[in-house]
Amino acid sequence: MTNENSAKTVGAGALLLVVLLLGGLINSPSAHAQSNADADRIQQGFAMAPVPLNLMGKSSYQVALVGRGSYLVNAIGDCNGCHTSGGPPNFNYLYGHNPYFLHPGPAQANPAEYLAGGANFSTALPFNVGPGLPYGNYLGPNIIARNLTPDLHGLPEGGKTLAQFRGVLRTGVDMDHIHPTCTSSTPVPTPPNCIPPPVDGSRLQIMPWPVFHQLSDDDIEAVYEYLSAIPCIDNKTSTPPDGAPNELRNNCGSSDNSGAVMPTEDSLARTRR
Ligand code: HEC
């Protein structure tokens, strides 16, 4: 069963579970003091998720994290504002639901590309690193928002563990080394996908990790848990980052994802935490 299918089948049961869980949270005296505001956010988080959520196999604690994670991803972090493959004119919104247009319907994200990555943040932007530096108007590599949807094992962001995910949000490290800092001082840098100094190519660019790194451990776990519950999307349509032809592809375990990155021994051996 694909994540997408299981998400559908589990939908009704999950909703019931959430209602029961929230009831429990709100009524439990021990959780009461800290939980009223949190329970509101969890409830709103579930209500605003633009895609069906797969809560199969999650403990009630993890289900609560999913709700809180949805709130952080959809109401605060605007992750889908950047991690989408949608182009003009609707970008990450469904046709007719772009709130920046005249007479739109209610704002609604396009589930077909939700958090699947693909937006390019540097096409044709001159990468002028300043006078006297050898790279002048060197066009920097394409900086492309990555696919954050889970793989067929339900691990977010194409197979990251919680520890890896936490490391990315805390330090901005690019675990895929897609655009290392250029080492050559010649005008044509090698490899061609590198970023000239003073930019640190080992860190994610554009991605607001210097802000997200201040999230609490619990909140990062909530974002992670939510990203494990959204449907897998194998983004075959967007141009991948330079030098990383498989970066946006994701193995959703369905028959139509030939060409997706297949799981390695290592990724199969990974456990959730
Ligand atoms: C302003 C745009 C923007 C926003 C908002 C944004 N991201 Fe990103 N993110 C990016 C870009 C661009 C990259 C790739 C950067 C690069 O290649 O240097 C990225 C990379 C990442 C990566 C690394 C992926 C990998 O394969 O290593 C993770 C994880 C990530 N983002 C998570 C998130 C989460 C979670 C949120 C919301 C809480 C978020 N991002 C919000 C633009 C954004």
Side-chain angles (χ1 to χ4, degrees):
M1 199 190 284
T2 65
N3 277 3
E4 218 170 328
N5 289 341
S6 53
K8 279 177 200 143
T9 35
V10 82
L15 194 63
L16 182 66
L17 181 60
V18 170
V19 170
L20 292 176
L21 172 86
L22 289 175
L25 260 184
I26 293 160
N27 294 328
S28 138
S30 59
H32 199 263
Q34 55 106 46
S35 75
N36 270 349
D38 203 32
D40 281 353
R41 280 193 289 266
I42 293 168
Q43 197 166 19
Q44 287 180 47
F46 277 107
M48 72 179 69
V51 288
L53 300 174
N54 182 358
L55 303 178
M56 197 125 67
K58 292 201 187 296
S59 66
S60 56
Y61 172 71
Q62 288 170 321
V63 171
L65 285 180
V66 171
R68 197 199 318 175
S70 173
Y71 187 87
L72 292 166
V73 165
N74 297 305
I76 296 180
D78 193 22
C79 313
N80 192 47
C82 293
H83 286 267
T84 175
S85 56
N90 290 305
F91 298 95
N92 48 321
Y93 295 103
L94 264 184
Y95 176 78
H97 293 271
N98 184 337
Y100 296 101
F101 285 5
L102 285 170
H103 314 302
Q108 213 177 320
N110 184 352
E113 59 205 23
Y114 182 68
L115 294 176
N120 189 345
F121 286 85
S122 65
T123 315
L125 282 182
F127 204 108
N128 192 338
V129 292
L133 290 170
Y135 298 101
N137 280 329
Y138 164 70
L139 293 178
N142 292 316
I143 305 286
I144 295 178
R146 320 269 174 96
N147 190 343
L148 300 184
T149 69
D151 66 1
L152 79 171
H153 305 293
L155 287 178
E157 214 219 294
K160 296 270 192 303
T161 63
L162 175 60
Q164 291 171 324
F165 184 77
R166 188 171 279 139
V168 173
L169 260 62
R170 286 250 186 269
T171 68
V173 63
D174 179 4
M175 292 184 59
D176 308 303
H177 312 291
I178 284 174
H179 43 54
T181 311
C182 304
T183 50
S184 153
S185 59
T186 58
V188 181
T190 42
N193 59 329
C194 70
I195 302 189
V199 179
D200 180 355
S202 72
R203 305 291 126 177
L204 296 166
Q205 305 298 315
I206 317 286
M207 163 70 184
W209 59 266
V211 173
F212 298 150
H213 96 120
Q214 305 189 85
L215 287 169
S216 69
D217 274 355
D218 280 0
D219 280 348
I220 291 182
E221 187 174 355
V223 171
Y224 179 86
E225 210 59 57
Y226 173 71
L227 294 177
S228 78
I230 62 175
C232 175
I233 297 179
D234 179 6
N235 186 345
K236 314 181 236 215
T237 51
S238 303
T239 309
D242 298 336
N246 276 327
E247 181 57 28
L248 297 175
R249 301 297 310 269
N250 196 6
N251 184 2
C252 299
S254 53
S255 53
D256 71 336
N257 58 359
S258 53
V261 189
M262 297 311 284
T264 58
E265 287 297 307
D266 175 47
S267 71
L268 283 173
R270 279 180 208 148
T271 52
R272 184 161 289 240
R273 63 179 60 93

